Amino acid sequence: MSAALKPASEPSQAGSRRLILDHAARLFRERGYAETSMRDIAGVCGMKTASLYYHFASKEKIVTEVLNTGVATVSEEASRRVDMLGADAPAAERLHAAISAHLHALLELDNYTGANIRIFGHVSSRVRAATMDQREHYEQWWRELLADAAARGAIRPDTDLSLLRLLLLGAMNWTVEWHKPRPDNTDSVEAIARSLTTMVLRGVFDDKPTPPLRRRRTKIGKLEPWKQSPP
Amino acid sequence: MSAALKPASEPSQAGSRRLILDHAARLFRERGYAETSMRDIAGVCGMKTASLYYHFASKEKIVTEVLNTGVATVSEEASRRVDMLGADAPAAERLHAAISAHLHALLELDNYTGANIRIFGHVSSRVRAATMDQREHYEQWWRELLADAAARGAIRPDTDLSLLRLLLLGAMNWTVEWHKPRPDNTDSVEAIARSLTTMVLRGVFDDKPTPPLRRRRTKIGKLEPWKQSPP
DNA sequence: CAACCAACCTAGCGTCCGTTAGATGAGCGC
DNA sequence: GCGCTCATCTAACGGACGCTAGGTTGGTTG
């Protein structure tokens, strides 16, 4: 459950319809929705613009399917990974599986989830409504995951679970803005998942700071795998 | 340092130039860059499209100034708030001030910072380059804030500071996607800041879970001030 | 081998975009 | 009253956009 299973960039298999969706998802994720024209999509698919309309009635139909596939992907991956642990696994492990799966789908599995996260706020309200149900379903899954962890006493009782969910998903979703896959195949995403899980569960505060004299050293991240550009 | 200082929605003062920027920032934040036309901006400013070109040479000039103002706002607000504490304030308090200031600028102060966060990834690389310096400067400020906290021993030495910075800023920046200001004037943003600071510093994990019989209750968020829509 | 159909093409329509040229008028120093 | 500048206007240009009508293929089938 670590390295990318698919190249995460090139189309997956036969069928023009699938080819179009794969390329559209990639372009939407890389450039945005309005910044990707039907001519662009047709271009990278090796066909003329009009041919797209044999497979899809409109640009909105394409983006709707891309968005829905995106939620479906991350949703299935997450529940698959968590269910794999069995229902009586420690809450901390279940949370880590969920975080790892979400990041894996977002950054490695394919371009659909990343496209969803990046362009959802930039499509028409019509399209947004058409994919809201799936999104709401996935969010509900997270609500229950955290509620379950809290019910088991694994989360401090003064924690606002709604806020925890929103901030945690925010930290994860924002990775699409700065994460660049490494040239080599080293797995950076699982490292992010581990770090985030630890930070969320245990925090970063040091209660017993600075033993006298020989001051402790903060680990220096040698050659960060994630290339940051924005704040 | 809590409630919104300005209405955060309507133009601030005289001057057509400023009027245009204020409205443009609002529209960019609400709808996105490509989804906001020069005709739209002119419309809400009560003028004709061509009049915008008396004040700005192009749409890109407008968005560049909006983006730069956005970083300047959050950057000044953050360092102001942290400097106010004095250099020898506890690292935890400095971190809270930084988080609170960032969220305040993003969600309450005006529309410039929010516009920056929402559309930065959707403008041309030319525009992005023109505001990169400021962004890099602000990010450097955060690097130093965290490095300083680590040097004082307030952050556990096995913490990857780069990752902490990216995930923390991610959790904050993503709030623009779900936070809706409350109808009443109650301050929800400072509550978010407090929660996030606590979560990051102490984590949410409960080491001493579930005392036998009388199980503890997880605080139920009554009428959440933040209205969530996306995952 | 003729009919058919899926999959693609050429060509272009109407619309909206950012942008520009040039006119208009209000306010002001002289 | 004259000339000048500022701020805005009317009108329109060229190009990119989403989309469509209708033609051309090449493979399958009766």
Side-chain angles (χ1 to χ4, degrees):
Chain A
M1 220 53 48
S2 54
L5 302 180
K6 297 177 198 170
S9 286
E10 32 199 295
S12 353
Q13 64 189 58
S16 296
R17 194 188 154 84
R18 177 64 183 269
L19 184 84
I20 293 168
L21 288 171
D22 281 357
H23 278 303
R26 201 195 70 219
L27 292 177
F28 287 156
R29 183 183 65 80
E30 287 172 359
R31 309 182 190 173
Y33 178 63
E35 295 78 14
T36 300
S37 68
M38 293 296 272
R39 287 164 175 83
D40 291 334
I41 299 172
V44 298
C45 289
M47 33 172 93
K48 303 295 171 155
T49 313
S51 308
L52 299 177
Y53 289 87
Y54 176 79
H55 301 278
F56 296 93
S58 67
K59 191 186 180 185
E60 290 207 341
K61 293 285 186 189
I62 296 181
V63 74
T64 300
E65 191 155 337
V66 166
L67 292 180
N68 277 329
T69 305
V71 194
T73 300
V74 70
S75 188
E76 287 163 18
E77 181 70 9
S79 49
R80 190 182 67 79
R81 285 278 306 279
V82 169
D83 290 348
M84 234 170 53
L85 292 177
D88 49 357
E93 274 184 38
R94 288 163 61 86
L95 181 65
H96 171 257
I99 289 174
S100 175
H102 187 97
L103 289 173
H104 179 58
L106 195 59
L107 303 172
E108 294 178 323
L109 208 47
D110 55 36
N111 296 115
Y112 292 84
T113 306
N116 186 305
I117 296 302
R118 285 217 57 192
I119 71 178
F120 181 81
H122 297 263
V123 297
S124 78
S125 52
R126 225 166 319 118
V127 174
R128 233 176 299 134
T131 181
M132 253 321 192
D133 276 5
Q134 292 222 43
R135 267 176 102 100
E136 186 51 48
H137 177 268
Y138 181 55
E139 196 173 0
Q140 185 57 31
W141 182 86
W142 271 95
R143 252 187 284 264
E144 288 164 13
L145 183 85
L146 295 179
D148 170 70
R152 298 185 196 204
I155 293 182
R156 251 193 295 185
D158 61 337
T159 307
D160 184 321
L161 295 183
S162 289
L163 205 38
L164 171 60
R165 186 186 79 250
L166 291 164
L167 293 170
L168 180 55
L169 282 164
M172 292 193 286
N173 288 342
W174 194 256
T175 58
V176 294
E177 302 289 334
W178 52 265
H179 180 266
K180 302 279 183 302
R182 310 185 77 170
D184 52 62
N185 256 10
T186 325
D187 187 288
S188 64
V189 171
E190 182 53 30
I192 301 175
R194 286 237 87 91
S195 278
L196 180 54
T197 307
T198 307
M199 288 178 192
V200 166
L201 288 179
R202 327 233 55 139
V204 301
F205 192 69
D206 198 341
D207 299 282
K208 301 258 191 301
T210 328
L213 269 180
R214 228 159 145 284
R215 193 160 223 181
R216 285 192 275 176
R217 271 276 183 53
T218 296
K219 171 178 154 197
I220 183 81
K222 48 193 169 176
L223 249 175
E224 313 177 3
W226 29 83
K227 223 178 112 61
Q228 69 280 25
S229 51
Chain B
M1 217 56 48
S2 53
L5 302 179
K6 298 175 199 172
S9 287
E10 32 199 294
S12 352
Q13 65 188 61
S16 296
R17 193 187 155 84
R18 178 64 182 269
L19 185 83
I20 293 167
L21 288 172
D22 282 357
H23 278 302
R26 200 193 77 236
L27 293 176
F28 288 156
R29 183 183 66 80
E30 288 172 0
R31 308 182 191 174
Y33 178 63
E35 295 77 16
T36 301
S37 69
M38 294 295 271
R39 285 165 176 84
D40 291 334
I41 299 172
V44 297
C45 288
M47 30 172 99
K48 302 295 174 166
T49 313
S51 308
L52 299 175
Y53 289 86
Y54 177 79
H55 302 278
F56 296 93
S58 66
K59 190 185 181 186
E60 291 206 341
K61 294 286 187 189
I62 296 181
V63 74
T64 300
E65 192 155 335
V66 166
L67 293 180
N68 278 328
T69 304
V71 193
T73 299
V74 69
S75 188
E76 286 162 19
E77 181 69 7
S79 49
R80 190 181 68 77
R81 287 277 307 278
V82 170
D83 290 349
M84 235 169 54
L85 292 177
D88 50 357
E93 274 185 37
R94 289 163 61 86
L95 182 65
H96 171 258
I99 289 173
S100 175
H102 186 97
L103 289 173
H104 179 58
L106 195 59
L107 303 172
E108 294 179 322
L109 208 46
D110 55 35
N111 296 116
Y112 291 85
T113 306
N116 186 305
I117 295 302
R118 283 216 59 191
I119 72 179
F120 182 82
H122 297 264
V123 297
S124 77
S125 52
R126 227 167 316 118
V127 174
R128 235 177 296 134
T131 182
M132 253 323 189
D133 275 7
Q134 291 221 47
R135 266 177 103 98
E136 185 52 46
H137 176 269
Y138 181 54
E139 197 174 0
Q140 184 59 31
W141 181 88
W142 270 94
R143 252 186 283 264
E144 287 162 14
L145 183 84
L146 296 179
D148 170 70
R152 298 186 196 203
I155 294 182
R156 249 188 278 120
D158 61 336
T159 307
D160 184 322
L161 295 183
S162 290
L163 206 38
L164 171 60
R165 186 186 77 251
L166 290 165
L167 293 170
L168 179 55
L169 282 165
M172 291 192 288
N173 288 342
W174 194 257
T175 58
V176 294
E177 304 288 334
W178 52 265
H179 181 266
K180 302 279 182 301
R182 308 185 77 172
D184 51 63
N185 256 8
T186 325
D187 187 288
S188 65
V189 172
E190 182 53 29
I192 301 175
R194 288 236 86 93
S195 278
L196 180 54
T197 307
T198 307
M199 288 179 192
V200 166
L201 287 178
R202 328 234 54 139
V204 300
F205 192 70
D206 198 341
D207 299 281
K208 301 260 191 302
T210 327
L213 269 180
R214 229 159 144 282
R215 196 162 221 183
R216 286 191 275 174
R217 269 279 182 51
T218 296
K219 171 178 154 198
I220 184 81
K222 47 188 170 183
L223 248 176
E224 314 177 4
W226 29 84
K227 225 182 113 62
Q228 67 281 23
S229 50

